[in-house]
């Protein structure tokens, strides 16, 4: 099972990946939205902001999110690490229900 630190590192890497994206991916990442990533197996939610093509102001809070972010992700810690590491495709994870997205 992934740790909180591994999940935080995966979110940091995702932010770096987004900042380096080009074309349509970069345009999609350039939104200004609140963001939450609920890690179900750790009972923690990372909240922050998607701004300027990066995830900023990320903090970890215990339990479910207090407020509904504009973009909400829900998954296990292992799935977050696998997604960012390229070991799990987003489409497969989303299609199988391993990752939930609300936007």
């Amino acid at each position: 099972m992934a740790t909180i630190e591994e999940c935080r590192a995966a979110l940091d890497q995702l932010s770096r990946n987004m900042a380096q994206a080009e074309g349509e991916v970069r345009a999609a990442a350039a939104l200004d939205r609140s963001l939450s990533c609920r890690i179900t197996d750790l009972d923690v939610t990372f909240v922050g902001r998607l701004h300027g093509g990066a995830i900023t102001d990320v903090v970890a809070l215990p339990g479910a999110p207090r407020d509904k972010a504009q973009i909400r992700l829900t998954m296990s810690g292992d799935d977050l690490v696998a997604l960012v590491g390229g070991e799990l495709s987003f489409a497969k994870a989303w299609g199988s229900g391993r990752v939930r997205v609300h936007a």
Side-chain angles (χ1 to χ4, degrees):
M1 181 167 76
T3 65
I4 290 175
E5 293 79 17
E6 290 170 322
C7 291
R8 176 59 192 249
L11 288 172
D12 290 344
Q13 182 61 51
L14 176 60
S15 182
R16 287 189 295 275
N17 293 350
M18 290 169 52
Q20 295 173 358
E22 297 178 359
E24 291 180 13
V25 174
R26 183 160 185 88
L31 300 171
D32 185 13
R33 302 281 188 271
S34 59
L35 174 74
S36 69
C37 182
R38 172 100 172 105
I39 306 299
T40 55
D41 55 330
L42 297 175
D43 194 28
V44 67
T45 301
F46 292 92
V47 296
R49 187 133 202 106
L50 179 60
H51 179 75
I55 302 169
T56 62
D57 304 322
V58 176
V59 295
L61 302 173
R66 293 176 181 95
D67 299 316
K68 287 189 177 181
Q70 292 167 304
I71 300 171
R72 300 183 306 276
L73 306 169
T74 304
M75 67 193 82
S76 73
D78 287 342
D79 286 342
L80 172 62
V81 171
L83 281 168
V84 174
E87 300 162 11
L88 177 63
S89 81
F90 180 82
K92 181 178 179 180
W94 178 69
S96 66
R98 290 170 63 178
V99 172
R100 291 181 301 245
V101 178
H102 302 276

